[in-house]
């Protein structure tokens, strides 16, 4: 397969995944972001990299946002939101973090490709992305979790654009938050 054919197929697959996202779930996540005092984003591997990109977008938009695991990440407090990005939703860390968030008085959300209802029940907000990961059999030409990670980035970036548009933030406002020591 030629590279242009691969690019065309990957683009079509991403559009198919995006078209299946629940606007209700996406709107609910946007509302959680809006009302949070601070936002904490957690993800491992490539999902974690997507999380860092979204954290940067939110920071440019004026939100107080932190990436879990960074050395400058403060303590989560009541009124804060933890967003977990995980294709599988598996791992003891996820369950223990959501319990801790609830004990503190925060809220939690997950962006996942897992249809596991018991997993989803642990969170205040769920954004389900029906995409291929290394743990499911959704057909794709892409390896591992590429389809999930690409789609998650586009979907969450669109959510941030929605938040900016709804609050009237201009490109100039966002640019004023951009790193300026270069």
């Amino acid at each position: 397969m030629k590279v242009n054919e691969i690019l065309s197929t990957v683009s079509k697959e991403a559009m198919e995944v995006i078209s299946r996202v629940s606007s209700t779930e996406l709107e609910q996540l946007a509302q959680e972001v809006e009302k949070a005092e601070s936002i904490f984003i957690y993800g491992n591997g490539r999902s974690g990299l997507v999380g860092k990109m979204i954290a940067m977008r939110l920071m440019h938009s004026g939100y107080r946002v932190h990436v879990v695991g960074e050395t400058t990440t403060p303590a989560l407090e009541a009124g804060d939101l933890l967003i977990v990005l995980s294709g599988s939703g598996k791992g003891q860390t996820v369950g223990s973090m959501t319990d801790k968030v609830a004990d503190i008085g925060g809220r939690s959300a997950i962006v996942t490709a897992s249809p596991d209802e018991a997993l989803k029940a642990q969170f205040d907000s769920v954004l389900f992305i029906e995409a291929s990961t290394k743990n499911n059999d959704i057909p794709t030409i892409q390896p591992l979790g590429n389809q999930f990670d690409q789609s998650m980035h586009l979907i969450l970036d669109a959510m941030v654009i929605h938040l900016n548009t709804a609050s009237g933030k201009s490109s100039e406002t966002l640019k004023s938050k951009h790193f300026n020591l270069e």
Side-chain angles (χ1 to χ4, degrees):
M1 186 179 269
K2 293 183 179 181
V3 72
N4 284 347
E5 293 170 344
I6 293 169
L7 180 58
S8 177
T9 301
V10 168
S11 299
K12 287 176 188 171
E13 286 182 0
M15 287 304 299
E16 289 171 12
V17 169
I18 290 167
S19 72
R20 293 190 298 261
V21 169
S22 163
S23 59
T24 302
E25 289 180 0
L26 189 54
E27 186 68 38
Q28 182 181 8
L29 180 58
Q31 289 170 4
E32 292 283 355
V33 167
E34 266 292 274
K35 66 184 178 187
E37 295 291 323
S38 290
I39 302 152
F40 291 75
I41 299 180
Y42 172 79
N44 281 324
R46 289 176 299 175
S47 294
L49 293 174
V50 171
K52 287 181 178 186
M53 288 188 287
I54 298 307
M56 180 185 281
R57 299 279 195 270
L58 288 167
M59 179 274 298
H60 288 152
S61 301
Y63 293 92
R64 208 170 339 152
V65 61
H66 309 282
V67 175
V68 175
E70 295 294 322
T71 57
T72 58
T73 303
L76 187 135
E77 298 176 352
D80 292 346
L81 172 67
L82 170 68
I83 302 174
V84 173
L85 309 179
S86 175
S88 68
K90 293 181 179 177
Q92 283 185 301
T93 305
V94 172
S96 64
M97 278 196 298
T98 56
D99 290 345
K100 182 90 172 182
V101 168
D103 290 345
I104 292 169
R107 296 188 54 82
S108 62
I110 188 167
V111 180
T112 188
S114 174
D116 182 350
E117 293 302 323
L119 168 72
K120 294 176 183 179
Q122 297 174 39
F123 294 88
D124 298 300
S125 179
V126 174
L127 177 59
F128 175 67
I129 299 175
E130 188 181 346
S132 175
T133 69
K134 64 182 182 243
N135 298 311
N136 65 28
D137 294 327
I138 295 174
T140 177
I141 67 164
Q142 301 176 67
L144 303 169
N146 284 20
Q147 188 183 65
F148 173 73
D149 295 323
Q150 292 162 356
S151 301
M152 177 172 53
H153 176 232
L154 292 171
I155 293 162
L156 293 177
D157 209 18
M159 178 193 73
V160 175
I161 294 167
H162 164 74
L163 289 167
N164 289 335
T165 304
S167 63
K169 291 178 185 150
S170 67
S171 290
E172 286 305 310
T173 302
L174 276 59
K175 193 174 182 182
S176 73
K177 298 281 189 184
H178 196 278
F179 181 73
N180 63 0
L181 297 180
E182 50 209 4

